[in-house]
């Protein structure tokens, strides 16, 4: 048995934390400073984590390698299993051109650019984040806004800022699923706390979007539909994450937010010509004027309805128990680890939820989508394989980062850093979202930031007397605000709207909003750690 040590380097917690943090520092420097590709930075960091575990912590090499393999396997299943199948559904809608129909349907909801920004960037962007994530919402929504006549810079900024509130539950809940796994906390507990933080952002972001589109006038004239959209989104995200399913949080929020928006009479009124003239400085795509048969519009919405239906059925207690019977639990080979108190850690056992996992449910929805959209079986398989090829570097990045996280967690490196960070005491509640924000700003992924810092946050919380669920959730909720300034997202936005090389211009425009919203989130977490807002927690 390997027993974790907290102070393996010269009996000093400070020196041990310094050595334990080397893999994280290497990854962050390679990504943020050297601008190395994410998968190469992840592999380099993994190598560093293995060496620190073996040489500094004395973890046997076979157990170190075994923990890395377990992390990589978790990265593949269930994490990437969810992402691949969700993106596959999206690719089939593109292949059959039903995505274009959906886009035109959204474009016809209103001719007011401020309302269009809410429908496309906030609501539809959230739907794309729910299904695909990994930069897809920014790329697609930016292009759609340009097609509606938005100036390219304004379109990119709106898409970047809108891609905040849904990120924690993106890709069918992948970030919170990862957070629960690396921290050992129940998924429902983590998701419920995140669902009491990010909905507060949803109340603010729609108002911010209409300000970005049309300044003070936009806020004055369209604050009612913006608030209706934000409140509906927030309520749906809260209810789904706390009482239904974390995987459905963004889908339900996006659909209910859009429904609330179009239900407000003010959102359907034609925009005044001076508004359109001052806001829409680009060229509107004539393709948006095409009329689509009602039957095809219904089919375009069908994939999302199928996902909601399948996930909803899967949450029925009897069905949920039946699906859970297919879960297989194994004693993980070559791994026998105990924490500093001598108690076996959860990593010694590996669970494989074959049927009940979100990825399998999305796969079922994808098969139903292929039937509804008339996709031939051969074409559906081709699209699935093409999805895997498209995500090959993301697959390597996620598996290497999860392998790194598992090595750090099981060797005791994360525990050492957590004990050291706990010295911040009550100030830790304020710093917790900042750590998540920094992780996402550098890596471009809330999933990666949760894998890297989740266990650290929980250890620090327990040592400082704070709620582990609160700080774990704060890592993810703070992280969503780093998404808009991550080099990955900035590059995607620039490439999508033809602004290659102008990432710096976009960064200067979105950085103040990122920092301002981060401060709000820090204050929320501090309040939730005290009686002031403690009543908000489950």
């Amino acid at each position: 048995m390997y027993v974790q040590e907290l102070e393996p380097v010269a009996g000093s917690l400070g020196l041990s934390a310094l050595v334990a943090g080397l893999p994280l520092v290497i990854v962050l420097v390679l990504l943020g400073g050297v601008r190395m590709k994410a998968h190469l930075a992840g592999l380099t960091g993994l190598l560093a984590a293995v060496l620190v575990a073996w040489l500094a912590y004395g973890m046997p090499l076979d157990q170190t390698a075994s923990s890395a393999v377990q992390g990589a396997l978790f990265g593949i299943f269930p994490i990437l299993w969810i992402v691949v199948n969700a993106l596959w559904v999206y690719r089939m809608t593109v292949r059959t051109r039903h995505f274009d129909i959906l886009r035109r349907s959204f474009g016809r909801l209103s001719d007011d650019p401020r309302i269009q920004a809410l429908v496309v960037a906030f609501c539809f962007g959230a739907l794309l984040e729910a299904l695909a994530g990994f930069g897809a919402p920014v790329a697609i929504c930016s292009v759609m806004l340009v097609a509606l006549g938005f100036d390219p810079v304004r379109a990119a900024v709106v898409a970047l800022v809108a891609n905040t509130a849904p990120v924690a539950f993106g890709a069918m809940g992948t970030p919170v699923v990862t957070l629960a796994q690396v921290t050992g906390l129940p998924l429902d507990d983590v998701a419920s706390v995140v669902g009491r933080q990010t909905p507060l952002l949803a109340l603010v972001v729609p108002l911010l979007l209409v300000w970005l589109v049309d300044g003070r006038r936009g806020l004055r004239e369209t604050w009612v539909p913006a608030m209706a959209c934000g409140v509906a989104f927030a309520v749906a995200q809260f209810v789904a994450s706390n009482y239904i399913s974390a995987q459905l949080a963004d889908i339900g929020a996006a659909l209910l937010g859009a429904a609330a928006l179009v239900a407000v009479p003010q959102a359907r009124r034609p925009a005044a010509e001076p508004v359109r003239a001052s806001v829409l400085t680009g060229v509107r795509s004539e393709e948006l004027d095409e009329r689509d048969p009602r039957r095809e519009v219904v089919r375009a919405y069908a994939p999302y309805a199928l996902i909601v239906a399948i996930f909803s059925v899967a949450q029925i207690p009897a069905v949920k128990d039946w699906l859970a019977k297919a879960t297989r639990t194994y004693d993980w080979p070559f791994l026998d680890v105990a924490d500093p108190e001598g108690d076996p850690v959860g990593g010694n056992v590996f669970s494989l939820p074959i049927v009940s996992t979100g990825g399998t449910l999305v796969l079922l929805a994808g098969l139903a989508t292929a039937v509804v959209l008339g996709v031939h079986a051969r074409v559906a398989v081709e699209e699935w394989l093409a999805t895997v090829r498209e995500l090959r570097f993301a697959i390597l990045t996620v598996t290497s980062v999860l392998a790194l996280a598992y090595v750090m967690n099981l060797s005791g490196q994360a525990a050492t850093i957590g004990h050291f960070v706990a010295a911040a005491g009550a100030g830790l509640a304020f710093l917790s979202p900042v750590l998540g924000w920094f992780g996402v700003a550098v890596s471009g992924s809330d999933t990666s930031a949760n894998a890297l810092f989740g266990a650290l946050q929980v250890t620090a919380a327990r040592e400082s007397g704070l709620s582990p669920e609160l700080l774990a959730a704060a890592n993810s909720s703070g992280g969503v605000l780093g998404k808009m300034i991550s080099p990955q997202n900035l590059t995607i936005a620039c490439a999508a709207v033809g602004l290659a090389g102008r990432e710096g211009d976009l960064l200067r425009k979105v950085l103040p909003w990122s920092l301002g919203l981060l401060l709000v989130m820090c204050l929320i977490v501090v309040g939730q750690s005290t009686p002031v807002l403690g009543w908000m927690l489950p």
Side-chain angles (χ1 to χ4, degrees):
M1 177 180 286
Y2 167 72
V3 181
Q4 297 172 348
E5 289 185 63
L6 292 177
E7 304 173 354
V9 182
S12 168
L13 183 62
L15 287 176
S16 299
L18 188 64
V19 173
L22 282 177
L24 295 178
V25 172
I26 288 172
V27 171
L28 298 178
V29 168
L30 291 179
L31 282 172
V34 181
R35 298 292 179 88
M36 180 181 285
K37 292 185 181 299
H39 64 282
L40 295 178
L43 290 171
T44 306
L46 172 59
L47 176 60
V50 168
L51 291 175
V52 170
W54 179 37
L55 299 176
Y57 279 74
M59 188 179 195
L61 196 55
D62 60 339
Q63 296 215 47
T64 305
S66 181
S67 61
V69 172
Q70 185 181 148
L73 179 59
F74 176 72
I76 294 171
F77 190 96
I79 299 304
L80 288 165
W81 182 237
I82 297 172
V83 175
V84 168
N85 289 324
L87 195 55
W88 173 54
V89 173
Y90 162 71
R91 285 182 64 100
M92 284 194 290
T93 66
V94 173
R95 178 73 175 253
T96 60
R97 298 189 179 279
H98 283 90
F99 178 77
D100 293 333
I101 295 173
L102 192 67
R103 180 161 59 90
R104 287 194 289 269
S105 175
F106 278 121
R108 284 193 292 269
L109 290 175
S110 174
D111 71 343
D112 188 326
R114 300 161 301 190
I115 303 301
Q116 290 173 341
L118 294 174
V119 172
V120 173
F122 188 69
C123 297
F124 189 55
L127 194 58
L128 291 173
E129 182 66 39
L131 295 179
F134 289 88
V138 170
I140 295 167
C141 292
S142 296
V143 172
M144 289 175 69
L145 290 174
V146 169
L148 289 168
F150 278 67
D151 168 74
V153 173
R154 198 189 315 250
V157 170
V158 168
L160 285 166
V161 174
N163 191 221
T164 49
V167 168
F169 296 103
M172 306 307 295
T174 296
V176 291
V177 170
T178 303
L179 185 61
Q181 180 68 22
V182 300
T183 59
L185 299 172
L187 172 60
D188 290 344
D189 292 354
V190 173
S192 66
V193 180
V194 175
R196 294 161 193 248
Q197 294 172 342
T198 57
L200 299 176
L201 294 176
L203 298 175
V204 177
V205 172
L207 297 172
L208 177 55
L209 294 179
V210 296
W211 172 278
L212 288 170
V213 172
D214 195 28
R216 187 176 301 173
R217 177 180 60 183
L219 192 59
R220 184 178 66 251
E221 295 180 358
T222 56
W223 70 269
V224 173
M227 278 299 297
C229 177
V231 169
F233 188 103
V235 169
Q237 194 179 62
F238 164 74
V239 171
S241 60
N242 278 268
Y243 305 111
I244 303 175
S245 167
Q247 287 90 344
L248 282 178
D250 279 350
I251 295 178
L255 296 177
L256 193 61
L261 179 62
V262 298
V264 177
Q266 188 177 340
R268 300 193 301 274
R269 294 173 190 157
E273 204 53 45
V275 172
R276 294 183 55 80
S278 64
V279 174
L280 300 181
T281 56
V283 179
R284 186 177 183 276
S285 172
E286 295 181 0
E287 180 232 357
L288 293 171
D289 296 323
E290 291 184 27
R291 288 291 169 183
D292 300 300
R294 184 179 297 274
R295 178 171 176 271
E296 295 305 312
V297 174
V298 171
R299 291 174 73 192
Y301 281 90
Y304 312 104
L306 285 168
I307 290 175
V308 171
I310 288 175
F311 271 85
S312 298
V313 170
Q315 299 309 308
I316 298 173
V319 177
K320 193 172 185 177
D321 293 340
W322 179 72
L323 294 175
K325 290 180 181 178
T327 299
R328 296 290 179 265
T329 302
Y330 306 93
D331 288 327
W332 191 254
F334 307 109
L335 201 61
D336 188 10
V337 180
D339 62 22
E341 285 74 40
D343 300 320
V345 300
N348 295 331
V349 177
F350 186 79
S351 294
L352 202 62
I354 301 171
V355 181
S356 60
T357 187
T360 302
L361 298 178
V362 177
L363 177 65
L364 293 175
L367 294 174
T369 294
V371 174
V372 171
L373 299 186
V375 180
H376 190 277
R378 176 183 55 79
V379 175
V381 172
E382 287 176 355
E383 287 298 326
W384 194 90
L385 294 175
T387 303
V388 174
R389 284 196 299 272
E390 180 184 332
L391 291 174
R392 61 189 182 280
F393 292 120
I395 291 172
L396 194 53
T397 299
V398 171
T399 52
S400 62
V401 168
L402 264 298
L404 181 158
Y406 268 60
V407 170
M408 291 191 66
N409 294 345
L410 291 172
S411 66
Q413 295 173 59
T416 296
I417 299 172
H419 278 74
F420 182 74
V421 171
L428 187 59
F430 185 87
L431 295 175
S432 186
V434 177
L435 190 59
W437 174 85
F438 182 71
V440 176
V442 173
S443 69
S445 166
D446 201 35
T447 299
S448 295
N450 286 344
L452 291 173
F453 300 131
L456 183 158
Q457 298 264 25
V458 168
T459 302
R462 287 174 174 150
E463 287 302 303
S464 60
L466 295 171
S467 164
E469 291 82 6
L470 174 61
L471 293 202
N475 191 84
S476 192
S477 298
V480 306
L481 300 170
K483 190 86 169 177
M484 70 177 83
I485 63 167
S486 71
Q488 171 187 310
N489 255 21
L490 290 171
T491 301
I492 288 172
C494 284
V497 299
L499 297 174
R502 294 185 59 184
E503 288 85 354
D505 293 343
L506 290 187
L507 177 61
R508 284 189 289 273
K509 289 183 177 295
V510 299
L511 181 59
W513 301 112
S514 177
L515 292 174
L517 291 173
L518 175 63
L519 176 60
V520 172
M521 182 56 65
C522 289
L523 295 175
I524 289 171
V525 174
V526 169
Q528 291 178 332
S529 70
T530 68
V532 176
L533 295 179
W535 53 269
M536 293 180 62
L537 299 181

